[in-house]
Amino acid sequence: MTSVRQPVPLTLGTAPSAPTSLFAPGHPGFEAEEMTPEALTGEALELADAVSAELAGVRKLGVAYSGGVDSATLLALAVRALGAENVVALLGVSPSLARRERRLAHQVARVIGAEVVEVPTHEGENPDYQKNDAARCFHCKDELFTRIGEDVVGEQQLDAVAYGENADDATRHDRPGAGAATRHRVLRPLSVIGMTKSQVREVARQLSLPVADKPAAPCLASRIPFGQEVTPEKLRQIDDLEDAVYEQGFSDCRVRHHGAVGRIELPTEELPRAMEPEIREALVAAGKGTGFQHVTIDLDGIRSGLFSLQIVGKSARG
């Protein structure tokens, strides 16, 4: 009788409702060497089987993959349904992808057992993307899916491409990238079966995915206010300063780019640490080292999707 491996505990002394960053020094991170699909039970197993049913008839699938919990869970469930040899993770790479996110995506794919194909994208050369209006995400996703269609589908002999939209995403008004998925006929099996974000995280935990409790990590361009041009230099500044914040042991952060000012958002419970003299001095030095003239800490804490939510007139709390 085959024994069932139990999911590996992935959080660092926190409840599932409080995601922790894999970038914070000392995080246990990768206890799991491989995923545990045989550990799926209850609702998680039902959801996994529903995804398998959605993928029935697909011989080989490409998954638009970022390494976040949604795309990683979809990738893992696709491997469970189709076999690792019939699934490929398609990682879009451009200056808007943080270096740490790129490294993490490869680590997570190794746990899942999936091959990663990096897809260079050039959305930064598109004037419509550079001008950074509310359609920026559409142009980014459209570029990714175009590159996949032109450069990867034939080479990898893919029958279909899917991405990790969940059921909560499908109800939001600040996700113009979904329009690009529709335009390119990209599958969205998680949202089709009604899998919510909390359910995605639970499935990921039972699969022992290291990113099960990882906070959302929008692309670096999301840190630049709408209407202000996206440039490689701004993206580099953001990437460098966020790396410096994580090096100081913070669990999550955003660096908002306001020209000469780099505004650091942190979890509110971690704000006092930022005022400790050594940490404050290190953050100021890092910010000025990246090219900012001033470095500030936002006392309001992290507000995910801040700029996009301001555009659609919704509360930015959450």
Side-chain angles (χ1 to χ4, degrees), residues 14-19 205 213:
T14 59
S17 60
R205 289 185 198 107
D213 297 316

Side-chain angles (χ1 to χ4, degrees), residues 215-226:
C219 79
L220 296 176
S222 69
R223 277 66 149 171
I224 301 171
F226 282 119

Side-chain angles (χ1 to χ4, degrees), residues 151-188:
D151 303 335
V152 182
V153 168
E155 180 181 333
Q156 294 291 325
Q157 298 183 320
L158 303 178
D159 293 335
V161 175
Y163 86 121
E165 179 188 85
N166 63 56
D168 294 329
D169 292 336
T171 66
R172 290 179 56 169
H173 301 289
D174 60 333
R175 298 278 178 159
T182 299
R183 177 179 178 181
H184 291 271
R185 299 181 180 179
V186 176
L187 306 179
R188 50 192 92 191

Side-chain angles (χ1 to χ4, degrees), residues 69-80:
V69 63
D70 294 317
S71 65
T73 300
L74 174 59
L75 181 66
L77 293 179
V79 167
R80 173 182 180 267

Side-chain angles (χ1 to χ4, degrees), residues 5-169:
R5 286 182 295 158
Q6 294 301 307
V8 176
L10 298 171
T11 55
L12 186 62
T14 59
S17 60
T20 57
S21 172
L22 291 174
F23 306 121
H27 192 285
F30 286 83
E31 301 97 329
E33 296 182 357
E34 58 182 2
M35 67 172 179
T36 55
E38 68 277 15
L40 290 167
T41 61
E43 182 183 57
L45 178 59
E46 294 174 4
L47 291 166
D49 287 343
V51 170
S52 295
E54 280 296 313
L55 298 178
V58 176
R59 185 190 60 82
K60 189 171 184 181
L61 179 73
V63 174
Y65 172 69
S66 68
V69 63
D70 294 317
S71 65
T73 300
L74 174 59
L75 181 66
L77 293 179
V79 167
R80 173 182 180 267
L82 305 176
E85 69 280 7
N86 296 318
V87 179
V88 60
L90 306 175
L91 177 63
V93 176
S94 76
S96 68
L97 176 67
R99 295 183 298 270
R100 61 190 172 276
E101 295 288 347
R102 184 178 181 178
R103 293 192 298 269
L104 180 64
H106 281 274
Q107 290 177 282
V108 174
R110 283 195 291 272
V111 172
I112 294 171
E115 176 189 4
V116 177
V117 171
E118 293 196 342
V119 182
T121 61
H122 305 279
E123 65 276 7
E125 300 172 11
N126 181 351
D128 289 329
Y129 175 87
Q130 293 169 359
K131 70 183 182 182
N132 195 22
D133 61 15
R136 185 196 67 234
C137 290
F138 169 83
H139 297 299
C140 181
K141 282 289 193 296
D142 187 57
E143 166 71 5
L144 173 62
F145 294 141
T146 297
R147 295 288 173 181
I148 289 172
E150 292 179 351
D151 303 335
V152 182
V153 168
E155 180 181 333
Q156 294 291 325
Q157 298 183 320
L158 303 178
D159 293 335
V161 175
Y163 86 121
E165 179 188 85
N166 63 56
D168 294 329
D169 292 336

